[in-house]
Amino acid sequence: MENNLVLASDIGGTHITCAVVDISTWQILEHTISRSHVNSRQSAKSILHIWANTINQSINKSVATVTRLGFAVPGPFDYENGISLMNGQDKYDSLYQINVGKELGDYFPDHKQMCFINDAAAFLQGEVFAAKLEDRPAILGITLGTGLGSSVWHRNQKAFDADLWNTQYRDGIFEEYLATRWFTKRFYELSGFREEGFREILEKHKGTPAFEMLMTEYSLSFSDFLTHFANLHQCKTFILGGNIARAYDLISNYNKEKFAPFEIIVGQYAEKAAILGAASLYI
């Protein structure tokens, strides 16, 4: 049992979530889940202390010994060496060029194995293993929400960040046309109504002419991104995550022919996917 356990952490800009995962069954041991809010503008010492405390909470909830730690971390980050390269992004600037693996290792002298993976790549890898899709030669991952995440997984290899959010598209970049803020901005232009997000637009305005135009435009941008991504990596299978991905069936009803060439799988594990992906580093 102990050989199958990994303490996995999902680190975001405002949080850390940890849990023990049994990688023989891809089961997150629910009683070991620990979460903490993180002020990513704090000092390195304060941030690392919160991370370490949250990790310890999960370890202490496990009845079996856990010696392997996996981390899903946003980039830029030197994932092989555990060094943070985040700078000027209004988050974790104090960790810039710090060897996070070494610093955390001081908190866990008995837990010497630490591995790191990009958070978007962890989402994809977690979905692949948990859904038993690892027999596929390759799968591409997309997360749609406040930003645009993209990742690539090849069989028997670690998933990696495709980093396509700022790829030039029309008069801007893809993220400007696919993230939540596009919906709110464009819907105001079309209707004169200001809404907080896509869910509010969907709940209040579905079926209106402005909504139909909004979805038609979004579906074209999204299909253009799928085509670009697929051509770049010669793969037509995608796993989608993020809040907007839940509406894929609706989105793809507009301009159906544009989506026909692709195999689209909507992720099933939501925020747990990154936890599973961080744990899968020990497969």
Side-chain angles (χ1 to χ4, degrees):
M1 175 68 173
E2 292 181 5
N3 291 334
N4 296 326
L5 299 181
V6 177
L7 188 287
S9 300
D10 173 31
I11 294 173
T14 60
H15 77 280
I16 177 172
T17 304
C18 306
V20 176
V21 179
D22 184 343
I23 58 176
S24 67
T25 61
W26 296 111
Q27 179 185 5
I28 292 176
L29 306 186
E30 297 288 336
H31 68 279
T32 68
I33 295 176
S34 299
R35 297 183 179 91
S36 295
H37 172 75
V38 180
N39 180 351
S40 58
R41 297 177 181 175
Q42 286 184 310
S43 67
K45 183 178 180 180
S46 297
I47 291 168
L48 292 168
H49 184 69
I50 293 171
W51 289 359
N53 279 349
T54 311
I55 293 165
N56 254 329
Q57 289 173 26
S58 289
I59 290 174
N60 291 337
K61 292 175 184 177
S62 174
V63 295
T65 302
V66 184
T67 61
R68 296 176 293 181
L69 281 66
F71 298 87
V73 188
F77 197 94
D78 180 346
Y79 296 100
E80 295 304 316
N81 297 304
I83 299 172
S84 177
L85 302 176
M86 287 178 269
N87 190 33
Q89 296 188 342
D90 201 31
K91 63 181 180 184
Y92 299 125
D93 282 4
S94 63
L95 294 177
Y96 182 58
Q97 293 189 334
I98 286 179
N99 190 317
V100 174
K102 182 178 181 301
E103 294 296 324
L104 284 176
D106 292 340
Y107 287 92
F108 307 104
D110 297 327
H111 304 82
K112 295 182 179 179
Q113 293 188 69
M114 292 190 187
C115 293
F116 298 84
I117 186 172
N118 173 266
D119 54 352
F123 150 76
L124 174 58
Q125 192 152 304
E127 291 282 353
V128 167
F129 280 101
K132 296 179 170 47
L133 299 172
E134 64 267 29
D135 60 328
R136 304 292 184 93
I139 300 178
L140 307 179
I142 297 174
T143 52
L144 297 167
T146 55
L148 169 65
S150 54
S151 50
V152 180
W153 174 85
H154 291 285
R155 187 166 53 211
N156 299 324
Q157 296 181 34
K158 186 169 83 170
F160 61 90
D161 180 13
D163 199 26
L164 297 178
W165 65 276
N166 61 351
T167 300
Q168 186 174 356
Y169 180 62
R170 296 182 187 173
D171 60 349
I173 59 176
F174 267 118
E175 186 174 82
E176 292 173 355
Y177 288 87
L178 295 176
T180 301
R181 60 185 178 274
W182 179 86
F183 279 107
T184 54
K185 176 177 178 289
R186 184 61 179 143
F187 189 70
Y188 176 71
E189 293 171 352
L190 291 169
S191 70
F193 289 102
R194 292 192 186 275
E195 300 293 354
E196 289 186 10
F198 175 62
R199 184 176 66 180
E200 289 76 16
I201 295 171
L202 178 61
E203 290 175 350
K204 297 179 183 180
H205 304 280
K206 185 178 180 181
T208 64
F211 182 84
E212 294 299 302
M213 179 62 71
L214 183 82
M215 298 307 295
T216 299
E217 292 182 11
Y218 187 85
S219 67
L220 284 172
S221 299
F222 188 26
S223 63
D224 283 348
F225 183 66
L226 290 171
T227 300
H228 173 75
F229 200 176
N231 290 341
L232 199 61
H233 291 278
Q234 297 300 298
C235 177
K236 292 187 176 182
T237 300
F238 292 87
I239 295 179
L240 306 184
N243 293 332
I244 298 173
R246 299 172 189 169
Y248 172 72
D249 287 344
L250 174 65
I251 294 167
S252 61
N253 275 333
Y254 298 82
N255 301 296
K256 287 184 178 180
E257 72 283 354
K258 297 280 188 178
F259 295 89
F262 309 110
E263 178 188 16
I264 306 293
I265 302 164
V266 178
Q268 299 298 307
Y269 296 90
E271 69 276 2
K272 292 181 177 179
I275 293 279
L276 295 169
S280 74
L281 292 170
Y282 290 95
I283 288 292

